[in-house]
Amino acid sequence: MTQPVIPIRNIYFMLTYAWNHLQDAKLVNLDAVPGNSLLNILGHVLNKSVLYLSRRGFELGYCHHTEIISGIKGRVNFAQSLHGFHLMKGKTVSTFDELTPNTLANKIIKTTLTTLVKQNNLDQRIREEARSIRARMLDINEIVLSPRYFDQVQTLSNNRYYKFIISICKLINENTIINQKDGSYRFYDFERDERKMSLLYQDFLYRFCKNELQNVKTKRSYLEWNAYSESDPSLSFLPRMETDITLCHNNKCLIVDAKYYKSIFANRKSTHKFHSANLYQLMSYLMTYNPKYDVKTSGLLLYPQVGTAVKHRYNINGFDIGLYTIDLDQEWEDIHQDLLTLLRECLE
């Protein structure tokens, strides 16, 4: 079975939607990117974005700095000053805040440029540009990156464009594989990973609905089980039910389940049938969903198109259910328009 065909550039746009940074991504021209490689796109965007920051000026932050100085500055460590006989020379060991570009965000960016330069399958022009940009970041240190740093910088940096760049850095580092034998670096082509692409597809659709559907409330609904148990009164062992997307408009709610598969059909005795588990899951959501107001609830299973387009509607147990595909192998503007038309049609 073939994978859903999605051009690399469209995967990049899906990523920027999922990060909620589509407008920032459009500031970079992708026409100059060589080849059909997500790593080249990410490297090109990172280079151009960091160049933009350097021209505008890297963000500055206060960092604690301790050194032996003449006189007094900040907080004096008298014990160390006395122990080193510095006071006799008119000096102190002082700790003070210094305004510097050596912030966590800038450290992550510089370290990621180093990771980019070491990639085996990176275009040479992008590599040389990354090396040149990194060389200009003289007052910024590199660090050993770990996931916790990316969590920290998201709360510390209020600059929207910085957050976009940090998202690119995180993706590059998360998908870089280091060969322990020779120390070489290779970017993992996660677009071939069905699990990772499934998560991206869900996040992209959610953010698309959130940003593009005007006057429609977009959320993820947490559904409660209609159940009780004497042995597990809190129902803590039951799996959590959460919709991928719940769209509410006027007196109608649409529960959207985003499914990313190599094929939307399962073969049963040489006949094609929709995956039963997907339909059962959506039916469970519809039968459990309990809106506060009297609204009509319907469902949509939305798959990326593989081969022939699919557009079927059914009425199952009183619920209107659509099973549709969206063609992601077309120009982004066409994907945008097709999705809007499809979702609005289901909300009518």
Side-chain angles (χ1 to χ4, degrees):
M1 294 181 184
T2 58
Q3 192 85 349
V5 178
I6 308 176
I8 295 298
R9 183 174 297 203
N10 286 350
I11 291 177
Y12 171 68
F13 285 130
M14 289 171 66
L15 283 165
T16 56
Y17 252 111
W19 297 335
N20 197 23
H21 283 285
L22 182 66
Q23 295 306 314
D24 299 316
K26 288 181 176 179
L27 296 176
V28 179
N29 179 18
L30 298 183
D31 292 337
V33 181
N36 188 34
S37 162
L38 182 58
L39 176 62
N40 284 343
I41 288 180
L42 294 174
H44 175 77
V45 173
L46 180 62
N47 285 345
K48 299 308 179 186
S49 300
V50 179
L51 274 175
Y52 171 78
L53 286 182
S54 67
R55 296 189 187 105
R56 195 177 64 174
F58 290 111
E59 72 170 9
L60 301 176
Y62 285 100
C63 295
H64 291 307
H65 191 67
T66 300
E67 64 178 69
I68 301 171
I69 62 171
S70 297
I72 295 175
K73 185 178 181 180
R75 187 175 69 256
V76 177
N77 189 317
F78 285 102
Q80 291 185 22
S81 299
L82 290 169
H83 182 73
F85 300 102
H86 301 300
L87 291 175
M88 297 176 61
K89 303 173 186 178
K91 297 182 178 181
T92 61
V93 178
S94 297
T95 299
F96 50 91
D97 289 332
E98 184 178 46
L99 196 61
T100 171
N102 198 33
T103 64
L104 178 57
N106 291 333
K107 290 176 183 177
I108 289 175
I109 292 170
K110 185 174 182 179
T111 303
T112 303
L113 287 171
T114 298
T115 299
L116 192 63
V117 166
K118 294 180 180 179
Q119 297 285 344
N120 283 343
N121 48 345
L122 182 70
D123 179 80
Q124 190 60 28
R125 287 174 294 174
I126 297 175
R127 186 193 319 279
E128 292 305 320
E129 186 177 36
R131 185 179 281 118
S132 173
I133 295 169
R134 184 190 60 181
R136 304 178 198 179
M137 303 173 74
L138 295 175
D139 297 326
I140 300 170
N141 299 330
E142 294 188 33
I143 56 178
V144 178
L145 286 176
S146 69
R148 64 185 177 90
Y149 287 134
F150 291 100
D151 294 335
Q152 291 173 5
V153 78
Q154 289 175 1
T155 60
L156 295 176
S157 177
N158 293 319
N159 187 309
R160 177 178 173 83
Y161 201 65
Y162 256 97
K163 291 181 180 180
F164 169 59
I165 296 174
I166 294 300
S167 294
I168 296 175
C169 291
K170 183 178 181 180
L171 185 69
I172 291 174
N173 284 282
E174 283 181 342
N175 291 280
T176 292
I177 302 172
I178 303 176
N179 189 318
Q180 298 299 328
K181 292 183 178 180
D182 59 12
S184 62
Y185 284 54
R186 183 175 68 83
F187 185 77
Y188 173 64
D189 297 325
F190 69 87
E191 64 268 22
R192 301 173 187 172
D193 186 321
E194 191 171 80
R195 185 185 64 85
K196 287 192 174 184
M197 285 301 298
S198 178
L199 293 174
L200 172 59
Y201 179 62
Q202 291 173 16
D203 289 342
F204 153 64
L205 284 178
Y206 174 80
R207 187 53 61 180
F208 181 92
C209 294
K210 192 87 171 174
N211 291 355
E212 306 295 341
L213 292 177
Q214 302 298 320
N215 303 316
V216 176
K217 183 177 181 181
T218 302
K219 60 182 179 179
R220 290 187 172 101
S221 300
Y222 299 100
L223 309 180
E224 296 183 1
W225 290 93
N226 183 15
Y228 73 93
S229 171
E230 293 182 0
S231 59
D232 180 23
S234 63
L235 306 179
S236 58
F237 290 103
L238 290 180
R240 186 175 185 174
M241 281 200 294
E242 178 185 5
T243 64
D244 291 340
I245 308 165
T246 302
L247 304 175
C248 296
H249 179 63
N250 293 333
N251 63 338
K252 185 169 184 179
C253 282
L254 176 68
I255 294 179
V256 182
D257 212 14
K259 296 298 184 186
Y260 185 95
Y261 283 109
K262 296 177 181 178
S263 174
I264 67 174
F265 296 110
N267 284 319
R268 299 288 177 85
K269 298 180 180 180
S270 300
T271 61
H272 289 306
K273 302 289 184 181
F274 287 111
H275 286 286
S276 58
N278 298 345
L279 195 53
Y280 295 158
Q281 182 181 24
L282 181 59
M283 285 301 303
S284 296
Y285 290 162
L286 290 169
M287 297 177 74
T288 307
Y289 186 66
N290 185 25
K292 295 180 180 179
Y293 308 102
D294 184 20
V295 299
K296 181 181 179 182
T297 306
S298 58
L300 172 66
L301 279 171
L302 185 56
Y303 301 85
Q305 181 175 315
V306 179
T308 306
V310 174
K311 186 176 181 180
H312 294 297
R313 298 184 75 92
Y314 302 90
N315 189 285
I316 304 176
N317 291 344
F319 293 106
D320 181 45
I321 293 178
L323 291 96
Y324 291 0
T325 57
I326 178 69
D327 183 9
L328 299 177
D329 183 19
Q330 56 180 330
E331 291 298 319
W332 188 257
E333 292 75 13
D334 296 326
I335 294 173
H336 183 276
Q337 186 56 51
D338 286 354
L339 267 177
L340 282 180
T341 301
L342 184 156
L343 292 166
R344 286 170 178 164
E345 177 185 300
C346 292
L347 278 168
E348 288 179 354

